[in-house]
Amino acid sequence: MADARSAPAFRLALPDATQSYEQDVEWCLVDDGSGWRELRFHDYSDIYQVPGLYERLFYEVLQCQSPPVVCDLLAEQLAGENIDPSALRVLDVGAGNGIVAEELRARGITKVVGVDIIGEAKDAALRDRPEVYDDYRVVDLTDLGEGEADEIAGGGFDALACVAALGFGDIPPEAFRAAFDMVRDDGWLAFTLRADFLSDTDKSGFSGLIKSLMASGELEELGAVTYQHRLATTRAPLHYRAVVARKRRSLS
């Protein structure tokens, strides 16, 4: 089967670098043969429908580094504790078109279940990387039906990965908490957040959630690094924090 990513059939343009936008309203222009149209970076459903656009925009042009950074951090922790990655069953939250799952598999993890709220994300994953998921669910983690969490978890995941998907309303704290609850005790968590979302001035709710999980003993941070997530459309660096932690039984 031809690789849809090998020959992108579109033209891409970014706004002038002197124009500054908040991260969740950044935009680009795309012409896939039907004329130029404006897409916000968070218009994922539209972006995923253009084969190769997500990779070209975020990884080639804006130099996104998050998937390898967080997956390397997880792999280092697993190796340090002599954990066989092939024994882990991982929940990939905000899975998109499978880039994170591809990185996880490259590090020896063989069982990955993806969840995303956008149906077009699943379609793109099946189109671009059909081999990386054992299952892929299109669900709203804040509105799960009775028994749906148990059905997805299937006895509990050994690890959770959530890369560059938290904040800005894409995955709210309540959704992350629902995914967290699907991880077994002593399971692993590997996630990224924009650095200021973990500060005392954070308004997204994630700083409060992470701090409360740590205070209750439910989350034990093992390793973290601040790094360049990608470039903004101004070509300035955007810094994120990658965290690897263990889920512990609540002490309260």
Side-chain angles (χ1 to χ4, degrees):
M1 185 176 76
D3 187 343
R5 294 170 282 166
S6 61
F10 58 83
R11 294 184 294 167
L12 174 66
L14 294 179
D16 189 280
T18 62
Q19 301 178 42
S20 180
Y21 300 92
E22 187 43 69
Q23 195 174 330
D24 58 339
V25 295
E26 288 180 307
W27 56 275
C28 62
L29 294 175
V30 178
D31 177 14
D32 58 1
S34 57
W36 290 100
R37 57 179 170 141
E38 181 179 313
L39 294 178
R40 287 178 56 226
F41 285 7
H42 284 220
D43 290 337
Y44 295 119
S45 59
D46 294 318
I47 289 174
Y48 287 136
Q49 291 181 64
V50 181
L53 175 56
Y54 189 86
E55 288 83 356
R56 173 66 176 157
L57 173 60
F58 293 111
Y59 290 88
E60 295 180 32
V61 176
L62 298 178
Q63 303 174 28
C64 180
Q65 303 176 41
S66 283
V69 167
V70 74
C71 291
D72 279 345
L73 192 62
L74 175 61
E76 289 167 9
Q77 291 292 332
L78 295 175
E81 298 198 26
N82 295 314
I83 302 295
D84 179 4
S86 69
L88 301 184
R89 181 169 172 262
V90 180
L91 176 64
D92 180 12
V93 180
N97 67 344
I99 291 176
V100 173
E102 191 171 60
E103 294 283 351
L104 290 170
R105 286 187 176 273
R107 289 157 181 78
I109 291 171
T110 60
K111 308 176 191 71
V112 186
V113 174
V115 296
D116 204 296
I117 198 171
I118 302 171
E120 291 84 358
K122 179 179 180 179
D123 294 340
L126 295 177
R127 177 194 68 213
D128 298 339
R129 298 172 179 82
E131 73 287 351
V132 298
Y133 290 110
D134 297 285
D135 189 17
Y136 196 120
R137 302 292 185 100
V138 178
V139 295
D140 181 348
L141 291 172
T142 68
D143 189 27
L144 294 171
E146 184 177 355
E148 191 172 6
D150 291 337
E151 180 187 349
I152 295 170
F157 289 98
D158 302 299
L160 178 154
C162 190
V163 178
L166 301 176
F168 301 110
D170 296 325
I171 298 179
E174 297 81 5
F176 183 78
R177 176 73 213 210
F180 178 88
D181 290 342
M182 296 183 195
V183 179
R184 64 171 178 81
D185 287 345
D186 293 324
W188 301 81
L189 293 98
F191 60 93
T192 64
L193 269 172
R194 202 170 77 172
D196 60 351
F197 285 170
L198 289 172
S199 72
D200 292 336
T201 60
D202 167 58
K203 296 181 181 179
S204 74
F206 278 103
S207 178
L209 173 62
I210 299 303
K211 288 177 181 177
S212 69
L213 289 172
M214 289 182 176
S216 70
E218 293 177 89
L219 190 67
E220 178 188 3
E221 182 179 308
L222 301 178
V225 61
T226 300
Y227 66 99
Q228 181 177 306
H229 162 56
R230 65 166 171 85
L231 300 177
T233 56
T234 61
R235 316 312 187 259
L238 297 173
H239 292 104
Y240 271 44
R241 184 97 170 145
V243 177
V244 171
R246 294 292 290 272
K247 178 181 177 179
R248 304 300 191 186
R249 189 181 298 275
S250 175
L251 300 178
S252 57

